[in-house]
Amino acid sequence: GQRDTNVGFEIHSGATNRFRHIGLRAQIGTVGDHASTLLGPIFSTHLFRKLDVSYGGTIENRLGIAQQHILSLNYEVSPVRSFGGRIVQQNNDTNAYLFYRNSGGKGLETYVILGDPNAVRTVRGLQVKFVFAL
């Protein structure tokens, strides 16, 4: 019984280029019979031929301000090995975690995560995953 009526736009430069992409998304209208505005910047770049840096964010004003910001870093050691991390801030909660990946080559694949990517706030934890073909 509630109405959603929105109009929005997105503008991007390098939308298919993960090494140099910048964009902005905006939306205004009604969501669940309440006025809503949304703004979401996107940015990604490749530095020093090894480091990927990306940011994506959304700020929404609907019954108050809600926001989410995600900053990701990925350092490529080789074509099959990398490590990095991510910081996710959602409203007043922040989660950060680190990872190591050894995959895409022959043999055993290994993934290690320090923290929890699905947690609302940063937690202590260690996850290890091994993948091998039978």
Side-chain angles (χ1 to χ4, degrees), residues 100-122:
Y100 170 79
R101 171 195 66 87
N102 182 12
S103 68
K106 295 180 180 179
L108 181 70
E109 295 186 352
T110 307
Y111 303 87
V112 178
I113 299 174
L114 186 60
D116 184 352
N118 298 313
V120 174
R121 293 190 177 131
T122 303

mmCIF file of all heavy atoms in Angstrom, residues 100-122:
data_model
loop_
_atom_site.group_PDB
_atom_site.id
_atom_site.type_symbol
_atom_site.label_atom_id
_atom_site.label_comp_id
_atom_site.label_asym_id
_atom_site.label_seq_id
_atom_site.Cartn_x
_atom_site.Cartn_y
_atom_site.Cartn_z
ATOM 1 N N TYR A 100 44.493 -12.516 2.592
ATOM 2 C CA TYR A 100 45.556 -13.019 1.724
ATOM 3 C C TYR A 100 44.911 -14.041 0.800
ATOM 4 O O TYR A 100 44.110 -14.865 1.227
ATOM 5 C CB TYR A 100 46.671 -13.684 2.536
ATOM 6 C CG TYR A 100 47.656 -14.431 1.673
ATOM 7 C CD1 TYR A 100 48.646 -13.750 0.974
ATOM 8 C CD2 TYR A 100 47.584 -15.809 1.545
ATOM 9 C CE1 TYR A 100 49.540 -14.432 0.166
ATOM 10 C CE2 TYR A 100 48.480 -16.497 0.735
ATOM 11 C CZ TYR A 100 49.454 -15.805 0.055
ATOM 12 O OH TYR A 100 50.333 -16.480 -0.753
ATOM 13 N N ARG A 101 45.283 -13.987 -0.481
ATOM 14 C CA ARG A 101 44.711 -14.901 -1.470
ATOM 15 C C ARG A 101 45.830 -15.489 -2.316
ATOM 16 O O ARG A 101 46.687 -14.772 -2.811
ATOM 17 C CB ARG A 101 43.746 -14.139 -2.386
ATOM 18 C CG ARG A 101 43.255 -14.943 -3.581
ATOM 19 C CD ARG A 101 42.611 -14.061 -4.636
ATOM 20 N NE ARG A 101 43.523 -13.142 -5.264
ATOM 21 C CZ ARG A 101 44.282 -13.419 -6.327
ATOM 22 N NH1 ARG A 101 44.270 -14.601 -6.866
ATOM 23 N NH2 ARG A 101 45.069 -12.490 -6.841
ATOM 24 N N ASN A 102 45.811 -16.803 -2.461
ATOM 25 C CA ASN A 102 46.702 -17.508 -3.379
ATOM 26 C C ASN A 102 45.799 -18.406 -4.215
ATOM 27 O O ASN A 102 45.432 -19.503 -3.790
ATOM 28 C CB ASN A 102 47.746 -18.321 -2.620
ATOM 29 C CG ASN A 102 48.718 -19.032 -3.549
ATOM 30 O OD1 ASN A 102 48.761 -18.753 -4.747
ATOM 31 N ND2 ASN A 102 49.492 -19.940 -3.002
ATOM 32 N N SER A 103 45.388 -17.931 -5.398
ATOM 33 C CA SER A 103 44.438 -18.680 -6.217
ATOM 34 C C SER A 103 44.609 -18.310 -7.681
ATOM 35 O O SER A 103 45.192 -17.282 -8.017
ATOM 36 C CB SER A 103 42.997 -18.397 -5.787
ATOM 37 O OG SER A 103 42.654 -17.061 -6.085
ATOM 38 N N GLY A 104 44.080 -19.168 -8.536
ATOM 39 C CA GLY A 104 44.121 -18.912 -9.965
ATOM 40 C C GLY A 104 45.248 -19.625 -10.674
ATOM 41 O O GLY A 104 45.337 -19.594 -11.892
ATOM 42 N N GLY A 105 46.119 -20.275 -9.935
ATOM 43 C CA GLY A 105 47.205 -21.042 -10.538
ATOM 44 C C GLY A 105 46.879 -22.525 -10.489
ATOM 45 O O GLY A 105 45.725 -22.934 -10.377
ATOM 46 N N LYS A 106 47.899 -23.329 -10.549
ATOM 47 C CA LYS A 106 47.718 -24.768 -10.459
ATOM 48 C C LYS A 106 47.838 -25.205 -9.008
ATOM 49 O O LYS A 106 48.549 -24.609 -8.223
ATOM 50 C CB LYS A 106 48.773 -25.484 -11.297
ATOM 51 C CG LYS A 106 48.639 -25.211 -12.771
ATOM 52 C CD LYS A 106 49.703 -25.953 -13.552
ATOM 53 C CE LYS A 106 49.560 -25.673 -15.031
ATOM 54 N NZ LYS A 106 50.587 -26.356 -15.815
ATOM 55 N N GLY A 107 47.121 -26.268 -8.663
ATOM 56 C CA GLY A 107 47.253 -26.842 -7.332
ATOM 57 C C GLY A 107 46.366 -26.197 -6.293
ATOM 58 O O GLY A 107 45.324 -25.615 -6.593
ATOM 59 N N LEU A 108 46.821 -26.289 -5.056
ATOM 60 C CA LEU A 108 46.066 -25.837 -3.892
ATOM 61 C C LEU A 108 45.851 -24.322 -3.907
ATOM 62 O O LEU A 108 46.769 -23.554 -4.161
ATOM 63 C CB LEU A 108 46.818 -26.230 -2.616
ATOM 64 C CG LEU A 108 46.187 -25.870 -1.291
ATOM 65 C CD1 LEU A 108 44.950 -26.718 -1.057
ATOM 66 C CD2 LEU A 108 47.186 -26.080 -0.165
ATOM 67 N N GLU A 109 44.607 -23.891 -3.642
ATOM 68 C CA GLU A 109 44.292 -22.483 -3.478
ATOM 69 C C GLU A 109 44.117 -22.204 -1.992
ATOM 70 O O GLU A 109 43.550 -23.021 -1.264
ATOM 71 C CB GLU A 109 43.024 -22.107 -4.236
ATOM 72 C CG GLU A 109 43.172 -22.249 -5.729
ATOM 73 C CD GLU A 109 41.978 -21.737 -6.499
ATOM 74 O OE1 GLU A 109 40.953 -21.396 -5.875
ATOM 75 O OE2 GLU A 109 42.069 -21.669 -7.733
ATOM 76 N N THR A 110 44.601 -21.054 -1.540
ATOM 77 C CA THR A 110 44.567 -20.715 -0.120
ATOM 78 C C THR A 110 43.994 -19.312 0.057
ATOM 79 O O THR A 110 44.375 -18.386 -0.655
ATOM 80 C CB THR A 110 45.988 -20.742 0.478
ATOM 81 O OG1 THR A 110 46.594 -21.991 0.186
ATOM 82 C CG2 THR A 110 45.947 -20.518 1.972
ATOM 83 N N TYR A 111 43.086 -19.189 1.029
ATOM 84 C CA TYR A 111 42.497 -17.901 1.388
ATOM 85 C C TYR A 111 42.608 -17.750 2.902
ATOM 86 O O TYR A 111 42.256 -18.664 3.645
ATOM 87 C CB TYR A 111 41.026 -17.831 0.992
ATOM 88 C CG TYR A 111 40.779 -18.075 -0.475
ATOM 89 C CD1 TYR A 111 40.600 -19.363 -0.966
ATOM 90 C CD2 TYR A 111 40.734 -17.018 -1.376
ATOM 91 C CE1 TYR A 111 40.372 -19.596 -2.314
ATOM 92 C CE2 TYR A 111 40.512 -17.229 -2.722
ATOM 93 C CZ TYR A 111 40.326 -18.530 -3.182
ATOM 94 O OH TYR A 111 40.103 -18.750 -4.516
ATOM 95 N N VAL A 112 43.085 -16.601 3.349
ATOM 96 C CA VAL A 112 43.195 -16.315 4.780
ATOM 97 C C VAL A 112 42.544 -14.959 5.030
ATOM 98 O O VAL A 112 42.840 -13.988 4.327
ATOM 99 C CB VAL A 112 44.671 -16.286 5.240
ATOM 100 C CG1 VAL A 112 44.761 -15.949 6.721
ATOM 101 C CG2 VAL A 112 45.372 -17.600 4.938
ATOM 102 N N ILE A 113 41.650 -14.901 6.012
ATOM 103 C CA ILE A 113 40.982 -13.647 6.375
ATOM 104 C C ILE A 113 41.197 -13.401 7.861
ATOM 105 O O ILE A 113 40.894 -14.261 8.693
ATOM 106 C CB ILE A 113 39.474 -13.693 6.066
ATOM 107 C CG1 ILE A 113 39.245 -13.912 4.570
ATOM 108 C CG2 ILE A 113 38.802 -12.411 6.532
ATOM 109 C CD1 ILE A 113 37.794 -14.113 4.198
ATOM 110 N N LEU A 114 41.725 -12.230 8.174
ATOM 111 C CA LEU A 114 41.900 -11.808 9.559
ATOM 112 C C LEU A 114 40.788 -10.812 9.849
ATOM 113 O O LEU A 114 40.760 -9.713 9.296
ATOM 114 C CB LEU A 114 43.270 -11.160 9.733
ATOM 115 C CG LEU A 114 43.691 -10.771 11.139
ATOM 116 C CD1 LEU A 114 43.722 -12.005 12.036
ATOM 117 C CD2 LEU A 114 45.051 -10.107 11.106
ATOM 118 N N GLY A 115 39.818 -11.224 10.669
ATOM 119 C CA GLY A 115 38.617 -10.446 10.920
ATOM 120 C C GLY A 115 37.428 -11.173 10.327
ATOM 121 O O GLY A 115 37.495 -12.365 10.048
ATOM 122 N N ASP A 116 36.339 -10.475 10.119
ATOM 123 C CA ASP A 116 35.129 -11.075 9.559
ATOM 124 C C ASP A 116 34.480 -10.099 8.584
ATOM 125 O O ASP A 116 33.971 -9.059 8.984
ATOM 126 C CB ASP A 116 34.153 -11.422 10.685
ATOM 127 C CG ASP A 116 32.906 -12.137 10.197
ATOM 128 O OD1 ASP A 116 32.701 -12.240 8.963
ATOM 129 O OD2 ASP A 116 32.120 -12.589 11.038
ATOM 130 N N PRO A 117 34.488 -10.425 7.279
ATOM 131 C CA PRO A 117 33.901 -9.518 6.291
ATOM 132 C C PRO A 117 32.409 -9.267 6.485
ATOM 133 O O PRO A 117 31.894 -8.259 6.016
ATOM 134 C CB PRO A 117 34.123 -10.234 4.958
ATOM 135 C CG PRO A 117 35.142 -11.268 5.220
ATOM 136 C CD PRO A 117 35.078 -11.605 6.668
ATOM 137 N N ASN A 118 31.711 -10.152 7.174
ATOM 138 C CA ASN A 118 30.261 -10.030 7.338
ATOM 139 C C ASN A 118 29.843 -9.418 8.669
ATOM 140 O O ASN A 118 28.650 -9.301 8.932
ATOM 141 C CB ASN A 118 29.604 -11.404 7.170
ATOM 142 C CG ASN A 118 29.852 -11.954 5.777
ATOM 143 O OD1 ASN A 118 29.682 -11.251 4.791
ATOM 144 N ND2 ASN A 118 30.285 -13.192 5.706
ATOM 145 N N ALA A 119 30.803 -9.034 9.493
ATOM 146 C CA ALA A 119 30.473 -8.468 10.800
ATOM 147 C C ALA A 119 30.087 -6.992 10.665
ATOM 148 O O ALA A 119 30.519 -6.298 9.750
ATOM 149 C CB ALA A 119 31.657 -8.603 11.753
ATOM 150 N N VAL A 120 29.281 -6.528 11.592
ATOM 151 C CA VAL A 120 28.880 -5.120 11.619
ATOM 152 C C VAL A 120 30.036 -4.262 12.126
ATOM 153 O O VAL A 120 30.283 -3.175 11.615
ATOM 154 C CB VAL A 120 27.628 -4.937 12.500
ATOM 155 C CG1 VAL A 120 27.283 -3.473 12.672
ATOM 156 C CG2 VAL A 120 26.462 -5.693 11.908
ATOM 157 N N ARG A 121 30.750 -4.776 13.133
ATOM 158 C CA ARG A 121 31.907 -4.092 13.698
ATOM 159 C C ARG A 121 33.115 -5.013 13.622
ATOM 160 O O ARG A 121 32.976 -6.230 13.525
ATOM 161 C CB ARG A 121 31.646 -3.734 15.163
ATOM 162 C CG ARG A 121 30.571 -2.697 15.320
ATOM 163 C CD ARG A 121 30.502 -2.190 16.747
ATOM 164 N NE ARG A 121 29.503 -1.140 16.839
ATOM 165 C CZ ARG A 121 28.570 -1.112 17.749
ATOM 166 N NH1 ARG A 121 28.491 -2.046 18.660
ATOM 167 N NH2 ARG A 121 27.700 -0.126 17.771
ATOM 168 N N THR A 122 34.300 -4.426 13.681
ATOM 169 C CA THR A 122 35.528 -5.203 13.620
ATOM 170 C C THR A 122 35.570 -6.217 14.756
ATOM 171 O O THR A 122 35.302 -5.875 15.907
ATOM 172 C CB THR A 122 36.757 -4.275 13.710
ATOM 173 O OG1 THR A 122 36.669 -3.315 12.655
ATOM 174 C CG2 THR A 122 38.047 -5.053 13.591
#
